[in-house]
Amino acid sequence: MDLTLRSFFSFFGRQASQQNRKERQNMLVTNGIASAQKQIEPGHQTRHPSAFLKGIVQTEYPLPKFDRMGFLPVFYYDNTSMTAAFTAATKKVRALLPDPDMRLVEFRPGRCVAVISCFEYRDSDIDPYNEVSMAFLISHGRRSLPAVKLLKGLYDSCFEAYVWKLPVTTEIARWGGVELYGFPKFVADIHFTRTAGTMACRLACDNQHILTLEGKVLKTSPRKKPLRYRAYSVKDGLPLCANVYTSAREFAQSMLPNSARLTLGEHEIGRTLRNLDLAKMPLMYQYSPINEVSLFGPRNLMDD
């Protein structure tokens, strides 16, 4: 790979009380969304959100299906994540995009960028769960020259991506992602394993292996500027966009080709990824053992 290109490619992160829940739900249905006064659940008495989350106002709304309240933005207080970016065949990835205005961002002509991210959410507004994101960097409605969009993303700490698949480990995480955001979520088996020098995430569904991402445990430091991701989805045939902000308390990234390894399984999703001609070595690998995330609600593209 061209070392000049590689040098700049360094991107890539409560439920209401039982006694009053019904009264609060009726109030919310009657009066609309009200300000959130969240109660910390048992086991989370030591939760200490940083200034990053304290500076964001949340609203709450009823989730009758789960007999609880929901919050927007959704806060993720204590997480571990790892991300690896690989080049892929632009022509083949384009066939997976649902909207012609989604323009793939290319690293070089003919090669776009596929991003595999694994998340371990230990404490969130919708309880602990794991998640794997399979996404492609895009520019909505605008074409860009190869590498130019990536440079801008680096400068702004902001990247746009179409989320192709987003398996999770709990039903509430699946339901909220599908019903509110239009994300292609499904419940799957997602397990993290750790050794002294590596962390691995294995994704499977219906007893079939989809993928395993293994990355090195890197030496970390705080990341001063939050990362912003504009996550695109499609709901009822219309494109939506949601902002995701990540504040990494511990963060590291590597451009070394041996920093991460992706193994694809024989599940249909794994076979589809294999057909995209993914590069064997990553462009970049990110490791963040401790971070906070704020997932804002979805919005129509007109509301930008």
Side-chain angles (χ1 to χ4, degrees):
M1 178 184 303
D2 188 300
L3 293 178
T4 302
L5 289 175
R6 181 179 287 277
S7 67
F8 75 71
F9 194 77
S10 58
F11 68 92
F12 6 142
R14 301 153 281 177
Q15 175 175 340
S17 65
Q18 294 288 340
Q19 182 177 359
N20 297 324
R21 181 186 291 123
K22 297 299 182 182
E23 295 178 6
R24 296 173 73 185
Q25 287 180 344
N26 292 336
M27 179 273 290
L28 288 168
V29 171
T30 302
N31 299 328
I33 296 177
S35 297
Q37 298 293 328
K38 291 188 285 189
Q39 303 296 319
I40 297 178
E41 294 192 39
H44 294 316
Q45 286 82 1
T46 58
R47 178 186 288 167
H48 297 293
S50 70
F52 166 71
L53 292 180
K54 289 180 179 179
I56 303 172
V57 174
Q58 283 186 298
T59 54
E60 65 179 349
Y61 58 94
L63 291 173
K65 176 179 173 66
F66 300 97
D67 193 28
R68 63 187 291 171
M69 305 302 292
F71 297 88
L72 284 177
V74 184
F75 284 175
Y76 298 83
Y77 303 90
D78 179 26
N79 322 297
T80 290
S81 63
M82 62 176 176
T83 294
F86 301 85
T87 64
T90 300
K91 184 176 181 180
K92 292 184 176 182
V93 174
R94 188 177 291 123
L96 301 178
L97 301 183
D99 184 346
D101 285 332
M102 293 181 180
R103 317 287 190 179
L104 288 167
V105 171
E106 290 188 311
F107 182 70
R108 57 181 173 82
R111 301 293 292 179
C112 63
V113 181
V115 182
I116 308 296
S117 299
C118 304
F119 305 95
E120 184 180 53
Y121 301 124
R122 291 180 292 271
D123 182 13
S124 81
D125 286 336
I126 51 175
D127 305 327
Y129 70 98
N130 296 338
E131 181 176 69
V132 175
S133 169
M134 291 161 266
F136 307 107
L137 296 189
I138 65 166
S139 177
H140 195 276
R142 303 176 302 277
R143 294 186 183 275
S144 61
L145 295 173
V148 172
K149 182 68 174 179
L150 298 180
L151 282 171
K152 188 177 188 304
L154 283 171
Y155 182 81
D156 296 335
S157 293
C158 177
F159 298 93
E160 299 176 85
Y162 165 63
V163 182
W164 177 60
K165 300 292 182 185
L166 197 61
V168 294
T169 55
T170 65
E171 174 58 19
I172 189 171
R174 185 210 65 82
W175 183 90
V178 171
E179 298 298 325
L180 297 179
Y181 292 83
F183 284 139
K185 289 194 173 188
F186 59 93
V187 175
D189 298 317
I190 304 171
H191 297 285
F192 285 84
T193 57
R194 293 169 171 83
T195 66
T198 63
M199 183 172 74
C201 177
R202 187 180 191 274
L203 167 64
C205 187
D206 298 327
N207 295 317
Q208 286 189 298
H209 180 220
I210 298 176
L211 63 81
T212 297
L213 180 64
E214 182 179 0
K216 289 187 175 182
V217 174
L218 305 175
K219 183 178 180 181
T220 62
S221 61
R223 181 183 174 90
K224 295 181 179 180
K225 186 175 182 179
L227 282 169
R228 176 189 179 190
Y229 298 94
R230 292 167 54 88
Y232 287 83
S233 60
V234 174
K235 181 174 173 58
D236 299 328
L238 297 175
L240 299 176
C241 182
N243 280 310
V244 185
Y245 286 84
T246 300
S247 176
R249 297 186 182 184
E250 296 184 14
F251 177 85
Q253 68 180 17
S254 174
M255 311 300 293
L256 297 177
N258 64 346
S259 59
R261 180 176 63 183
L262 178 66
T263 303
L264 299 176
E266 290 305 317
H267 187 280
E268 179 184 359
I269 295 174
R271 295 198 304 269
T272 300
L273 288 172
R274 187 177 293 110
N275 188 53
L276 301 180
D277 296 337
L278 293 176
K280 293 183 179 181
M281 297 182 297
L283 288 172
M284 176 282 316
Y285 165 67
Q286 278 187 344
Y287 169 68
S288 178
I290 302 178
N291 60 69
E292 295 175 306
V293 174
S294 178
L295 169 61
F296 285 80
R299 67 181 191 277
N300 291 283
L301 299 190
M302 181 183 294
D303 182 23
D304 193 357

